[in-house]
């Protein structure tokens, strides 16, 4: 099974015969198992040439680039092999049809809020959590009453705001925060959320790329230039299902140290290299965790659930089967 490959050290790629090597600044050389890589994540400075990019294209490996602060910068994608004009036309038609787009927007928010509530149920014995859970369940009932995508987005924002506020009720006091801040994250918890969400967006984008979907045509988030907005739509489902449990585990099991695993730069807080590595170890473990799928009747990883969500969306766009978003049953 192919796995993600992460590079933190600065260095360069060198080809020798049919093998590629990563050479760090100290001259240490490590072979790159390209045929075993799913996605390539670059956190350091890497000198590369067209041979390296051609290798990624040949083996259908995507490369996601992050800057020094751990913020997502962009991606390199091989030439898309799974292309379907018919799917793209139908995907565009569902965006242009107000009612069809609204239906899908509601489904993404319905699944996201379901998974937020699911997370809080694990901590409902903690003081104050039940009140936030009741709020989210009440807002959840209002999704069907929304008349426009903008209203759905507004309701989703309110649900997520209350969800984040509930974190102070069950997480270690060292990670308490007042509000969600993104650009830049101003405390350790916001740094964890931002880093985890970036990983989720890129993983969803990679899974979309393996299907016939066009990542630039979305339904909840408004399509625009310079971003793959469909990955934002689908990521709404998986942020509370994958990212947030990773954060809860790292904090509650005291695997992170607010002084040793974070870097404080003026008003910005980011994970340092050691903190990123701890996060990624738990992130990979979560993605590789399997559950018995009720329909497929076999063990399915959390990562593959993302691909299955893409397939369900395609069936809906082609009028084969109405889209019902994932609701974790385990």
């Amino acid at each position: 099974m192919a796995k993600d490959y992460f590079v933190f050290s600065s260095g360069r790629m060198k080809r020798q015969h049919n093998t590629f090597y990563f050479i760090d600044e100290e001259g240490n050389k490590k072979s790159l198992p390209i045929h075993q890589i799913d996605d390539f994540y670059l956190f350091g400075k890497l000198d590369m040439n067209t041979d390296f990019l051609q290798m990624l294209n040949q083996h259908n490996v995507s490369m996601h680039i992050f800057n020094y602060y751990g913020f997502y910068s962009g991606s390199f994608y091989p030439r898309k092999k799974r292309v379907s004009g018919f799917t793209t036309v139908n995907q565009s038609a569902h965006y242009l049809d107000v009612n069809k787009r609204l239906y899908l927007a509601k489904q993404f928010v319905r699944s996201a809020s379901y998974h937020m509530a699911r997370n809080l149920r694990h901590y409902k014995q903690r003081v104050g959590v039940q009140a936030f859970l009741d709020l989210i369940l009440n807002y959840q009932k209002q999704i069907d009453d929304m008349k426009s995508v903008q209203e759905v987005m507004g309701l989703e924002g309110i649900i997520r705001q209350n969800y984040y506020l509930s974190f102070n009720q069950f997480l270690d006091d060292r990670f308490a925060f007042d509000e969600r801040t993104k650009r830049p994250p101003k405390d350790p918890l916001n740094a964890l959320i931002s880093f985890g969400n970036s990983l989720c967006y890129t993983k969803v984008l990679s899974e979309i790329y393996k299907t016939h979907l066009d990542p630039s045509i979305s339904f909840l988030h408004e399509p625009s230039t310079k971003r793959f907005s469909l990955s934002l739509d689908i990521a709404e489902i998986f942020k509370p299902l994958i990212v947030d449990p990773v954060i809860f585990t790292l904090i509650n099991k005291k695997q992170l140290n607010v002084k040793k695993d974070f870097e404080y730069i003026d008003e910005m807080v980011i994970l340092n290299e050691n903190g990123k590595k701890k996060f990624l170890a738990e992130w990979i473990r979560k993605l590789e965790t399997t559950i018995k799928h009720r329909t497929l009747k076999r063990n399915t990883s959390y990562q593959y659930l993302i691909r299955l969500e893409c397939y369900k969306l395609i069936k809906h766009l082609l009028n084969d089967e109405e889209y019902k978003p994932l609701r974790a049953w385990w």
Side-chain angles (χ1 to χ4, degrees):
M1 177 181 176
K3 297 183 178 181
D4 294 338
Y5 192 85
F6 304 91
V7 174
F8 287 92
S9 304
S10 297
R12 60 191 176 93
M13 296 300 304
K14 183 177 180 180
R15 182 173 184 172
Q16 186 173 342
H17 304 301
N18 292 321
T19 303
F20 275 83
Y21 294 93
F22 171 72
I23 304 174
D24 63 23
E25 293 177 313
E26 284 73 40
N28 300 311
K29 185 166 68 173
K30 183 177 181 180
S31 61
L32 186 70
I34 190 64
H35 59 285
Q36 299 175 10
I37 296 177
D38 187 19
D39 286 340
F40 189 81
Y41 288 80
L42 179 59
F43 293 94
K45 294 181 179 179
L46 182 66
D47 292 334
M48 63 186 79
N49 56 24
T50 54
D51 278 347
F52 176 60
L53 296 178
Q54 288 170 3
M55 175 192 67
L56 296 181
N57 180 68
Q58 179 183 353
H59 293 274
N60 204 32
V61 176
S62 300
M63 178 172 62
H64 305 295
I65 303 168
F66 293 75
N67 65 16
Y68 170 80
Y69 302 106
F71 301 146
Y72 173 65
S73 297
S75 299
F76 167 81
Y77 283 91
R79 180 173 57 84
K80 192 168 176 62
K81 298 179 175 63
R82 296 175 183 252
V83 178
S84 170
F86 184 63
T87 300
T88 302
V89 167
N90 279 275
Q91 189 175 343
S92 301
H94 276 71
Y95 166 75
L96 294 171
D97 187 300
V98 174
N99 292 324
K100 289 180 178 180
R101 181 185 175 188
L102 182 59
Y103 172 82
L104 288 172
K106 289 180 177 180
Q107 297 308 310
F108 293 133
V109 174
R110 185 172 285 111
S111 178
S113 61
Y114 172 85
H115 290 127
M116 292 180 211
R118 177 177 180 267
N119 286 342
L120 295 190
R121 286 191 179 95
H122 289 295
Y123 300 96
K124 65 180 181 180
Q125 301 305 320
R126 301 289 186 90
V127 176
V129 173
Q130 186 63 52
F132 283 105
L133 176 57
D134 291 340
L135 270 175
I136 290 175
L137 292 176
N138 182 57
Y139 285 125
Q140 196 177 59
K141 295 175 183 177
Q142 300 177 33
I143 295 175
D144 282 335
D145 298 329
M146 299 297 101
K147 304 301 182 183
S148 68
V149 173
Q150 290 71 30
E151 289 184 3
V152 175
M153 282 288 289
L155 183 62
E156 188 275 337
I158 295 172
I159 293 173
R160 191 169 294 278
Q161 181 182 25
N162 282 279
Y163 172 64
Y164 282 142
L165 287 175
S166 73
F167 286 11
N168 286 341
Q169 309 300 316
F170 58 86
L171 294 181
D172 190 308
D173 290 342
R174 296 170 304 163
F175 290 87
F177 74 158
D178 296 324
E179 61 179 342
R180 175 75 177 109
T181 55
K182 303 178 183 179
R183 300 179 181 88
K186 296 183 177 181
D187 52 65
L189 183 52
N190 272 299
L192 288 169
I193 295 172
S194 292
F195 185 66
N197 286 352
S198 291
L199 291 175
C200 189
Y201 295 143
T202 55
K203 180 53 65 178
V204 169
L205 184 54
S206 291
E207 293 303 316
I208 290 174
Y209 182 81
K210 296 168 186 173
T211 72
H212 291 149
L213 289 171
D214 187 320
S216 66
I217 305 172
S218 53
F219 308 98
L220 175 61
H221 296 82
E222 191 65 37
S224 65
T225 57
K226 299 182 180 180
R227 72 174 185 176
F228 295 117
S229 47
L230 183 60
S231 65
L232 302 180
D233 284 3
I234 298 176
E236 294 295 338
I237 296 172
F238 293 97
K239 286 188 294 186
L241 184 63
I242 302 178
V243 176
D244 298 340
V246 167
I247 294 173
F248 301 159
T249 296
L250 290 169
I251 293 177
N252 289 331
K253 290 188 175 181
K254 302 186 184 304
Q255 296 179 30
L256 288 172
N257 185 298
V258 292
K259 294 182 179 180
K260 297 180 179 179
D261 296 318
F262 295 86
E263 187 173 348
Y264 299 80
I265 308 171
D266 296 327
E267 295 185 354
M268 178 171 61
V269 180
I270 60 173
L271 281 160
N272 60 23
E273 182 175 329
N274 193 53
K276 291 188 185 80
K277 288 180 178 179
K278 289 181 179 180
F279 194 107
L280 289 169
E282 184 62 27
W283 168 256
I284 293 170
R285 188 198 67 78
K286 189 69 174 178
L287 287 178
E288 294 178 348
T289 298
T290 61
I291 51 95
K292 184 67 174 291
H293 198 281
R294 293 188 299 186
T295 303
L296 300 179
K297 306 299 181 183
R298 60 179 174 83
N299 287 337
T300 304
S301 69
Y302 273 68
Q303 177 171 329
Y304 196 66
L305 288 174
I306 302 173
R307 181 99 56 91
L308 292 177
E309 207 64 18
C310 295
Y311 290 152
K312 287 194 298 181
L313 184 56
I314 290 173
K315 288 183 178 181
H316 175 86
L317 298 176
L318 300 182
N319 298 313
D320 288 340
E321 184 177 324
E322 187 175 61
Y323 176 66
K324 298 296 182 183
L326 177 66
R327 293 166 62 98
W329 62 86
W330 57 95

